[in-house]
Amino acid sequence: MARSPASWKGDIGWHARALCVGEDPELFFPLAETAAGTAPARAVCRRCPVLLDCRDWAVRHGETDGVWGATTASQRRALRRAVLDR
Ligand code: SF4
């Protein structure tokens, strides 16, 4: 069963302010990682007050599935490569 990013119960203080709390988790784990498939989740993320914390966490922890911080998994892989290649 898919979890929304906000349902993650780790040591992340920003979780309490996540805008995806209460959203359908399936929204954040679309079957296809296309622009259209991820657009609804990214629209929520763009209004979220913890977008940068969420994105940073997902990149640093190598989160491989779903939309986190308005990014897709492939976008996060590219960000991670850019950071690690410095
Ligand atoms: S940026 Fe998106 S995925 Fe991250 S906490 Fe906010 S709404 Fe949830």
Side-chain angles (χ1 to χ4, degrees):
M1 180 176 165
R3 299 178 306 152
S4 71
S7 71
W8 194 84
K9 302 291 186 201
D11 58 346
I12 47 178
W14 50 265
H15 169 266
R17 294 183 293 132
L19 206 57
C20 49
V21 171
E23 294 282 347
D24 180 357
E26 301 296 330
L27 196 67
F28 292 84
F29 295 91
L31 292 177
E33 191 186 272
T34 60
T38 60
R42 290 183 291 112
V44 174
C45 292
R46 281 194 295 272
R47 294 184 285 111
C48 181
V50 295
L51 182 153
L52 294 178
D53 294 310
C54 175
R55 180 183 297 169
D56 180 63
W57 187 93
V59 170
R60 282 190 292 112
H61 289 83
E63 185 59 51
T64 58
D65 295 310
V67 173
W68 294 68
T71 60
T72 63
S74 60
Q75 290 171 325
R76 290 192 304 277
R77 278 194 298 276
L79 286 169
R80 196 172 163 83
R81 276 195 305 271
V83 169
L84 294 177
D85 289 349
R86 277 197 268 167

